Amino acid sequence: MTHTAVGWHVELEFREDERHTEAVALVRLPDGSEVRARGHASRHRSDTNQPRVGEEVAGARALNEIAMQLLTKAHDEIDEASGRTSHSINV
């Protein structure tokens, strides 16, 4: 059995102010396609300013959206290759 190493390039960038964090995620796939998503986090005014926490929440939300888009892409490719509607792919 032959194993092939495959890698995906993932980028996350953040924009922040005192109360909001926005994450932009990008995954480059080996076929040359890209999947992009955004995630947001807001700090409640009574919370201490912890930018890392905002990045983690916004980043997780962006990556979760990437995951959902990748599942949809895979589902569509299965349907296209098989010529029929396949079973849902669950997370």
Side-chain angles (χ1 to χ4, degrees), residues 56-75:
E56 290 169 351
V57 171
R61 288 175 174 161
L63 291 171
N64 187 59
E65 178 60 28
I66 291 278
M68 298 310 294
Q69 289 182 38
L70 288 169
L71 284 170
T72 297
K73 183 178 185 308
H75 187 72

Side-chain angles (χ1 to χ4, degrees), residues 7-11 25-36 66:
W8 292 2
H9 184 80
V10 179
E11 292 181 22
L26 166 69
V27 176
R28 289 191 182 99
L29 301 172
D31 67 1
S33 64
E34 296 180 348
V35 180
R36 299 173 187 261
I66 291 278

Side-chain angles (χ1 to χ4, degrees), residues 46-66:
S46 66
D47 293 339
T48 59
N49 189 10
Q50 297 180 339
R52 181 180 48 87
V53 172
E55 291 169 4
E56 290 169 351
V57 171
R61 288 175 174 161
L63 291 171
N64 187 59
E65 178 60 28
I66 291 278

Side-chain angles (χ1 to χ4, degrees), residues 3-37:
H3 295 281
T4 303
V6 176
W8 292 2
H9 184 80
V10 179
E11 292 181 22
L12 272 172
E13 293 182 1
F14 300 95
R15 291 190 191 131
E16 301 172 274
D17 62 28
E18 291 295 316
R19 299 241 351 253
H20 303 94
T21 303
E22 178 184 41
V24 178
L26 166 69
V27 176
R28 289 191 182 99
L29 301 172
D31 67 1
S33 64
E34 296 180 348
V35 180
R36 299 173 187 261

